[in-house]
Amino acid sequence: QVAYFVDEYRLRFLYFASMQDTIQRRILNALLVALRPLARALLRAGIGYREFAEISKSAFVDVATKDYGLRGRPTNISRVAVMTGLTRKEVRRLRNKSDSGEETEINRPMPMAVILHRWFTESDFLDETGKPRELDFDSGPNSFSDLVRRFGGDIPPGAMRTELKRIGAISESVSGGLVAQKRNVSGREINERLADGLELLVYPTLLALANNTAVQEGEETWVMRNAATSGVRESDVPRLRRISSDRLSEFIESIDDLFAAYETLHDDDPSDASKRTLGVGVIYFEESRSDDGVFKNV
């Protein structure tokens, strides 16, 4: 009889463990799909995995610290380490960084940014006017390969040249030398567009997602809706993009008018104590042919 209950318990444990593994795998697969377009945008803005990983760790430590404390106190370092999977030393480092206001400062920028910075600032690679010299790829002293070997870590000079050419940071002269075209990995307009999108679209969407995964039975979830299809001809995409953009703009303007009307209801009350921030967002999107997305069979 004892053996029977032990076997039944073991089977139940294995079943629930398998279900949990399946659910987590689905979440991670969905996260991978969601991160691909984000990675595409970050790479265009000159932000690589190293910076992303540092910011991600800071976010996990910050949430574990503030949201899971006992009796109103911040979560202690050991519990944060258990929840996040980071070492206590790493948790302590990230919390100290946050407390000093340096959590978004990156101590080790991506290699391309380092190479461009050094090319524009190191005297060995400047001409007599203080501007970046045209560099031979791998001949003579202070060549491009020398620059990469000194400041690019273990990145091969050929790979660095290819990537800097791809982003338009360098060009090749008629004589075959390499010429620096810009000091930054990406332009200001691209960076500002990405920052606006993360703040105004990605952040509100993830707020709604976090809320909807925490609501209890009987509580109201926030609206997260989309309309999608995979049956549209390629030739019709520009027309649908234009129509969708016009209709969404009209809808957002009507919501903005609604909010403005409610803002004026209590103009006589100077107190901000009872005021809340809320908003509505609508998104038009397209998946590229190379995306392993979630709407292929819609």
Side-chain angles (χ1 to χ4, degrees):
Q1 187 73 16
V2 173
Y4 169 79
F5 284 114
V6 170
D7 288 341
E8 184 181 15
Y9 174 80
R10 184 183 296 115
L11 288 173
R12 288 184 179 180
F13 173 79
L14 292 174
Y15 171 77
F16 286 114
S18 176
M19 287 290 294
Q20 183 71 11
D21 183 59
T22 300
I23 293 171
Q24 291 215 336
R25 191 181 300 114
R26 183 186 172 196
I27 293 173
L28 292 175
N29 285 338
L31 179 61
L32 177 60
V33 170
L35 284 178
R36 281 178 179 142
L38 178 59
R40 187 178 297 134
L42 291 176
L43 287 173
R44 286 173 182 160
I47 297 175
Y49 169 74
R50 192 159 55 196
E51 296 94 323
F52 178 78
E54 179 75 1
I55 292 297
S56 299
K57 288 189 291 186
S58 295
F60 273 91
V61 169
D62 183 64
V63 171
T65 297
K66 295 177 179 178
D67 290 9
Y68 295 91
L70 300 176
R71 295 180 291 278
R73 300 175 184 175
T75 317
N76 64 48
I77 289 176
S78 295
R79 288 187 60 221
V80 172
V82 171
M83 281 188 284
T84 61
L86 298 169
T87 65
R88 289 188 297 173
K89 180 180 179 181
E90 186 75 344
V91 171
R92 186 177 293 106
R93 179 186 73 82
L94 292 166
R95 293 214 328 194
N96 290 339
K97 195 175 180 182
S98 177
D99 291 342
S100 62
E102 300 176 353
E103 59 186 345
T104 57
E105 293 184 9
I106 304 299
N107 297 325
R108 297 177 60 195
M110 66 187 304
M112 283 194 294
V114 173
I115 294 302
L116 290 174
H117 171 72
R118 294 292 186 174
W119 199 344
F120 276 80
T121 57
E122 292 289 329
S123 59
D124 289 344
F125 305 99
L126 302 176
D127 60 21
E128 60 276 5
T129 66
K131 296 181 179 179
R133 287 194 298 107
E134 178 178 327
L135 303 180
D136 291 327
F137 176 69
D138 197 16
S139 62
N142 303 326
S143 64
F144 177 80
S145 295
D146 183 39
L147 171 66
V148 176
R149 292 188 189 103
R150 286 167 61 179
F151 303 110
D154 62 349
I155 305 297
M160 181 64 71
R161 176 181 59 182
T162 299
E163 286 306 299
L164 288 175
K165 289 177 70 174
R166 179 184 63 80
I167 65 173
I170 67 173
S171 62
E172 195 166 336
S173 68
V174 177
S175 62
L178 299 177
V179 181
Q181 296 292 343
K182 61 181 183 179
R183 190 164 184 164
N184 299 311
V185 174
S186 64
R188 180 181 180 87
E189 183 180 357
I190 292 176
N191 288 345
E192 290 184 347
R193 203 176 299 158
L194 177 57
D196 286 344
L198 290 172
E199 293 171 351
L200 303 178
L201 293 174
V202 176
Y203 174 62
T205 301
L206 294 179
L207 278 179
L209 179 61
N211 174 81
N212 291 352
T213 56
V215 294
Q216 303 297 319
E217 185 176 354
E219 293 181 340
E220 185 178 2
T221 59
W222 297 349
V223 173
M224 295 182 68
R225 299 287 300 274
N226 68 68
T229 178
S230 59
V232 173
R233 292 183 179 180
E234 188 76 29
S235 59
D236 290 329
V237 170
R239 184 181 299 106
L240 282 176
R241 182 189 303 136
R242 185 176 62 255
I243 295 173
S244 298
S245 297
D246 290 343
R247 291 187 180 181
L248 292 176
S249 296
E250 292 173 2
F251 171 71
I252 286 298
E253 289 173 4
S254 68
I255 294 295
D256 191 46
D257 290 339
L258 175 66
F259 288 166
Y262 269 81
E263 288 171 356
T264 61
L265 288 179
H266 305 286
D267 282 345
D268 296 335
D269 182 8
S271 173
D272 290 333
S274 62
K275 293 183 179 180
R276 292 282 302 278
T277 298
L278 56 86
V280 172
V282 289
I283 301 171
Y284 170 83
F285 67 90
E286 296 175 15
E287 288 181 337
S288 69
R289 295 185 182 278
S290 61
D291 283 333
D292 184 18
V294 297
F295 296 100
K296 294 298 184 183
N297 298 317
V298 175

